[in-house]
Amino acid sequence: MSTLRFQALKKSLNRKPIEVKEPHRRSEIFGKNVFNEMAMRQYLTKDSYKSVMDAVQHGSKINRDLADHISTGMKEWAISKGATHYTHWFQPLTGSTAEKHDAFFETTGNGSAIEKFGGGSLVQQEPDASSFPNGGIRNTFEARGYTAWDPTSPAFILGTTLCIPTVFVSYTGEALDYKVPLLRSLQALDGAATEVAKYFDKKVTKVNATLGWEQEYFLVDAALAASRPDLVMAERTLLGHAPAKGQQLDDHYFGSIPTRALNFMRELENECMLLGIPVKTRHNEVAPNQFELAPIFEEVNLAVDHNLLLMDVMDKVAERHHLKVLFHEKPFAGVNGSGKHNNWSLSTDTGVNLLGPGSTPMKNLQFLTFFVNTIKAVYDNEELIRSSIASASNDHRLGANEAPPAIISVFIGSQLTKALDELEKVTDGKLSPQEKTDLKLNVVGKIPEILLDNTDRNRTSPFAFTGNKFEFRAVGSTANCSNPMTILNAIVAKQLQEFKVEVDKLIKDKKMKKDDAIFNVLREYIKKSKKIRFEGDGYGEAWEKEAKKRGLSNNKKTPEALKVKKADKTIKLFEELGVMNRVEMEARHEIEVEEYSMHIQIEGRILGDIARNHVIPTSIRYQNILIKNVQGLKDIYGDDFKKHASEQLSIIEEISNHIEKINKGITEMIDARRQANKIEDTEEKAFAYCDEVRPYFDEIRYHCDKLEILVDDELWPLAKYREMLFN
């Protein structure tokens, strides 16, 4: 009997749900561990508080003297909450977060000590940053990277540490993180969207991008996960035979949440409340042991920070419940993978959602303006949008088990499609009074009614309009939302700038009224971007052929998808907007293709080790049992033994065949890795890993999975799908 697997099973089956105490009202504990406005009013001077709020709302700089006052107030608040250390919490180009803890404690030189935290420590730090990915921006010996406080995202306490959200830049000023480009893109979008919004309301002075992410994940018993080397090191099962029952009965989706999972969620939500993460929704997802949680919408920068913080907290809470959280996009073959749907919208400082229709034709024309411009931006930059969700792990999910395909398209529903078809017929030039009245009453004016009845959804659409927002469904569950949000913000900002120029030109040169000019430009955008709109099923060859006919890209593999990031057109776009320069863009491309190669390399090593150290020895052990059985039958029946041992002989031969194929595949895969490792160009190496190494994974897995159903269950060393998905 396989000791580790069955010990893990025994532990799993004997687990009792961990009891969780919840507050009667969550609102009472919301933000308790956040240095929010309420805490600042209590611990800061009037001038210090005003300085922070001006920085948050208007981007103004904080005076160094006031920074000392702010840090003192922040320290006193943190210590009152039990904090002993502080850290600059940042987002290096690893995709996760980083932190270095320093104690408030300092000696005074006379045998005594004090708790100290100055303005300099709050505003800036210099961590040893040489080992973070930098894509060639700095030499290894140039370790200096600087973290600088981002006051727009409030500090919080995690455990006994005060965490201060920061940006991370090099000595020469290049962004070494995901936050800096995100903040720059938000600034560019704010400027462009505000100028366009003024067509409809002169009082608008600021436009915020908002984000509501939906985090999907799997929960597996910690002991079962620990018995699988692939889950421990790669967070996905590199082999494993599908169970007889998977998700085909749809009985898990929105079903009653299992008690262990529910108690995990309850404690997680308590922690989220304390940290000011406004989680609201929880439910079972489609696959067994797959779940989802979602928050209330927030400003994009804060929403991104909250999502990264949430993933960290989820791991910590899961550990207390003897569970393992799997964020990988495809931890189990044959069932739904996990995404992180990014629901994106724009709102003004006057309280208007620019992607939500209103009660008057003018408000609906505003909605159409931002709606059509977003679609046009996606059409013009569909390859760039695809690149924003590219990763080795998301490649497994896109196009599989209800996930969106790698082809970027926009779904808006049949009713809105009809509305755009009507707008496409707008007369070139000035509209007649009758045409304008008819258009506003019967097309623009009826948009709220259209959306009220437009309840159809397309689960296979990567980018769908869902009533008052766009849902970017193709984002992977492990992703840092900053990357797709930075790109989406940037392309929409650029598109809105171009829209403003075209409308103003018609008003000035053609003497058109503002409405006529807007209708004329929107008409052209609707025509030009029509190819990106798709209402059908995103699976199969039919859509691939149609997409090719429309000129849409179909970059199924990450190295293909990432090429656009270093294109001159892309670099020009980001440089013009001030989001990233050529050095920063090329560095990110370098890091991402290198990361892809390393992921495939690691998975290949893990698969080879499991196959040769677990699968093959176990299969030979079972084969020896069968051989002994056949030998016994021969001793009893003599030459007539084959009649009684035919099945055993067949299995023995089948096992040998699979073992031979596995060994051959591993040997060839190792040779392919060696050849790939000789390649110095990082992009070329990524393609080699993609095209020459990764194909062996499926072949080796196939034969391993066949052995799993041949070998005696009591001998099999690895936790099986049925045990991980249904315990």
Side-chain angles (χ1 to χ4, degrees):
M1 182 176 287
S2 176
T3 306
L4 186 58
R5 174 184 161 212
F6 284 97
Q7 281 183 352
L9 263 175
K10 186 177 180 181
K11 279 186 179 180
S12 172
L13 294 171
N14 289 334
R15 304 275 198 210
K16 291 183 179 178
I18 305 295
E19 290 300 318
V20 177
K21 290 184 179 179
E22 291 185 283
H24 293 299
R25 295 175 185 270
R26 290 191 168 182
S27 57
E28 292 175 356
I29 65 167
F30 184 72
K32 284 269 188 180
N33 289 344
V34 181
F35 196 59
N36 52 23
E37 286 189 43
M38 188 181 297
M40 284 192 284
R41 285 182 183 276
Q42 185 177 352
Y43 283 88
L44 298 184
T45 63
K46 188 176 180 181
D47 287 344
S48 299
Y49 171 77
K50 184 179 183 302
S51 179
V52 175
M53 296 311 296
D54 283 345
V56 172
Q57 294 168 2
H58 309 296
S60 57
K61 290 187 177 181
I62 293 174
N63 178 284
R64 194 57 179 253
D65 291 335
L66 287 176
D68 285 329
H69 291 294
I70 295 164
S71 63
T72 300
M74 193 183 288
K75 178 199 69 179
E76 292 304 316
W77 170 79
I79 290 173
S80 75
K81 294 286 183 180
T84 59
H85 289 68
Y86 66 91
T87 183
H88 275 202
W89 186 77
F90 59 102
Q91 304 170 27
L93 297 173
T94 57
S96 57
T97 58
E99 53 198 62
K100 182 187 76 170
H101 297 197
D102 285 305
F104 291 124
F105 169 87
E106 281 195 19
T107 57
T108 57
N110 57 359
S112 59
I114 59 170
E115 307 296 328
K116 187 177 180 182
F117 179 55
S121 299
L122 167 64
V123 173
Q124 182 177 301
Q125 278 194 327
E126 184 184 332
D128 178 10
S130 59
S131 294
F132 286 118
N134 63 75
I137 289 177
R138 296 167 304 129
N139 293 314
T140 304
F141 61 84
E142 295 173 326
R144 281 185 293 179
Y146 295 92
T147 50
W149 179 32
D150 170 20
T152 63
S153 184
F156 57 89
I157 293 172
L158 195 58
T160 58
T161 304
L162 169 66
C163 299
I164 303 158
T166 58
V167 300
F168 181 42
V169 297
S170 72
Y171 175 70
T172 50
E174 284 89 6
L176 294 172
D177 68 350
Y178 284 106
K179 184 181 270 267
V180 169
L182 177 65
L183 292 173
R184 292 171 181 165
S185 74
L186 289 167
Q187 188 176 8
L189 181 59
D190 171 23
T194 298
E195 287 303 306
V196 173
K198 285 181 182 293
Y199 282 142
F200 309 96
D201 183 357
K202 298 289 186 185
K203 295 177 183 177
V204 174
T205 59
K206 186 174 179 58
V207 172
N208 286 317
T210 59
L211 170 64
W213 39 262
E214 301 168 25
Q215 182 70 60
E216 294 177 337
Y217 61 98
F218 281 83
L219 284 177
V220 176
D221 183 86
L224 291 173
S227 74
R228 297 275 314 208
D230 46 3
L231 281 184
V232 170
M233 290 183 284
E235 273 222 340
R236 80 175 180 103
T237 53
L238 295 167
L239 50 85
H241 195 275
K245 179 179 182 288
Q247 64 186 50
Q248 60 267 50
L249 296 178
D250 295 324
D251 53 345
H252 188 259
Y253 189 52
F254 278 27
S256 177
I257 301 172
T259 306
R260 277 186 75 192
L262 182 59
N263 283 8
F264 158 79
M265 293 175 184
R266 290 167 63 199
E267 184 175 350
L268 173 64
E269 289 167 5
N270 287 348
E271 294 290 335
C272 287
M273 289 299 107
L274 291 168
L275 291 165
I277 306 172
V279 293
K280 188 173 177 67
T281 303
R282 65 189 184 202
H283 63 83
N284 289 1
E285 256 301 331
V286 175
N289 269 354
Q290 187 188 30
F291 307 95
E292 180 184 294
L293 81 160
I296 296 169
F297 279 47
E298 298 179 286
E299 185 275 325
V300 168
N301 182 41
L302 183 57
V304 168
D305 281 2
H306 277 166
N307 181 250
L308 290 167
L309 177 57
L310 170 96
M311 293 169 77
D312 189 22
V313 173
M314 286 176 78
D315 282 333
K316 289 178 169 67
V317 173
E319 192 176 342
R320 294 199 285 270
H321 288 257
H322 308 293
L323 292 166
K324 169 75 172 172
V325 181
L326 300 179
F327 292 112
H328 195 285
E329 283 80 359
K330 200 75 172 176
F332 300 101
V335 296
N336 270 25
S338 297
K340 186 181 292 182
H341 307 163
N342 279 206
N343 294 279
W344 175 90
S345 192
L346 298 170
S347 63
T348 68
D349 57 350
T350 58
V352 175
N353 178 357
L354 295 172
L355 288 173
S359 55
T360 66
M362 179 58 74
K363 288 179 180 178
N364 292 326
L365 183 56
Q366 175 178 265
F367 156 73
L368 280 170
T369 294
F370 286 92
F371 176 69
V372 172
N373 270 282
T374 302
I375 294 172
K376 174 71 161 41
V378 173
Y379 172 66
D380 287 343
N381 300 276
E382 48 95 11
E383 278 197 279
L384 189 54
I385 281 285
R386 167 66 181 96
S387 76
S388 75
I389 48 139
S391 69
S393 53
N394 208 22
D395 280 358
H396 295 285
R397 167 179 167 258
L398 295 177
N401 298 93
E402 292 192 349
I407 304 165
I408 298 297
S409 64
V410 178
F411 171 84
I412 63 172
S414 57
Q415 297 300 319
L416 274 173
T417 297
K418 289 177 184 176
L420 293 194
D421 288 345
E422 288 297 319
L423 285 168
E424 197 178 330
K425 300 171 187 173
V426 169
T427 303
D428 189 10
K430 295 179 182 178
L431 279 68
S432 67
Q434 178 62 39
E435 185 179 19
K436 190 182 290 189
T437 301
D438 185 59
L439 195 65
K440 286 187 174 181
L441 288 177
N442 297 321
V443 179
V444 179
K446 290 186 177 179
I447 283 174
E449 299 167 34
I450 288 171
L451 290 180
L452 193 65
D453 297 328
N454 185 25
T455 56
D456 49 342
R457 283 283 192 99
N458 188 334
R459 294 180 64 87
T460 66
S461 174
F463 201 87
F465 184 72
T466 54
N468 59 1
K469 61 190 181 298
F470 279 100
E471 182 179 14
F472 193 5
R473 298 181 53 85
V475 179
S477 49
T478 61
N480 181 329
C481 298
S482 292
N483 198 19
M485 288 298 98
T486 296
I487 287 175
L488 181 58
N489 292 340
I491 63 173
V492 173
K494 184 63 177 174
Q495 178 57 52
L496 289 172
Q497 286 178 355
E498 292 174 357
F499 173 78
K500 178 80 165 49
V501 169
E502 291 187 52
V503 171
D504 287 350
K505 188 176 181 182
L506 289 178
I507 294 171
K508 183 181 178 182
D509 296 350
K510 302 288 185 179
K511 308 301 180 187
M512 282 190 195
K513 289 186 177 180
K514 179 183 66 180
D515 288 5
D516 289 356
I518 289 172
F519 276 124
N520 271 261
V521 176
L522 289 182
R523 177 198 64 223
E524 294 307 308
Y525 285 178
I526 291 166
K527 288 178 181 176
K528 289 175 181 175
S529 63
K530 202 169 185 177
K531 291 176 182 177
I532 200 75
R533 300 197 328 252
F534 178 63
E535 307 298 311
D537 188 348
Y539 292 123
E541 291 183 11
W543 170 227
E544 289 192 12
K545 287 179 181 177
E546 173 62 23
K548 188 176 181 180
K549 194 187 300 181
R550 296 184 184 195
L552 302 178
S553 65
N554 185 13
N555 296 323
K556 293 183 179 181
K557 301 170 183 176
T558 288
E560 289 177 338
L562 291 176
K563 288 179 77 171
V564 69
K565 282 198 171 183
K566 64 173 187 175
D568 288 339
K569 176 189 172 186
T570 303
I571 292 170
K572 183 182 177 185
L573 166 71
F574 279 87
E575 286 188 326
E576 286 179 353
L577 292 171
V579 173
M580 279 186 278
N581 60 33
R582 179 177 288 274
V583 171
E584 291 167 325
M585 289 294 294
E586 290 178 345
R588 276 158 175 73
H589 177 265
E590 179 91 0
I591 289 165
E592 288 174 349
V593 293
E594 187 175 29
E595 182 185 18
Y596 177 85
S597 297
M598 287 190 288
H599 270 291
I600 304 302
Q601 182 187 73
I602 290 166
E603 288 190 351
R605 287 173 173 170
I606 296 167
L607 179 57
D609 289 348
I610 294 174
R612 282 187 166 163
N613 294 331
H614 294 74
V615 174
I616 290 177
T618 303
S619 302
I620 290 173
R621 196 177 305 132
Y622 180 57
Q623 194 179 45
N624 287 337
I625 292 171
L626 292 175
I627 290 169
K628 190 174 180 181
N629 176 260
V630 171
Q631 187 63 50
L633 290 172
K634 187 176 182 181
D635 291 344
I636 295 171
Y637 294 104
D639 293 341
D640 203 27
F641 83 98
K642 287 187 179 179
K643 182 173 68 175
H644 303 283
S646 60
E647 287 299 321
Q648 293 92 318
L649 289 168
S650 175
I651 295 172
I652 289 168
E653 188 176 341
E654 200 172 342
I655 289 172
S656 292
N657 178 56
H658 289 306
I659 289 173
E660 180 191 355
K661 295 287 176 57
I662 291 169
N663 263 323
K664 182 174 181 288
I666 292 171
T667 300
E668 291 177 356
M669 177 180 68
I670 292 171
D671 288 341
R673 279 210 313 264
R674 284 175 179 155
Q675 293 303 312
N677 289 337
K678 292 177 183 177
I679 301 170
E680 292 187 6
D681 182 86
T682 52
E683 185 180 54
E684 192 180 333
K685 182 188 284 189
F687 273 102
Y689 265 100
C690 179
D691 298 331
E692 306 300 330
V693 178
R694 204 177 83 158
Y696 285 105
F697 289 14
D698 290 339
E699 182 184 338
I700 295 166
R701 177 179 188 143
Y702 171 81
H703 294 287
C704 289
D705 290 355
K706 287 295 182 184
L707 286 173
E708 182 181 326
I709 56 174
L710 283 175
V711 172
D712 183 351
D713 182 65
E714 290 200 359
L715 294 178
W716 196 254
L718 304 168
K720 296 191 173 185
Y721 268 36
R722 67 169 185 265
E723 295 155 358
M724 293 183 287
L725 290 173
F726 293 97
N727 277 341

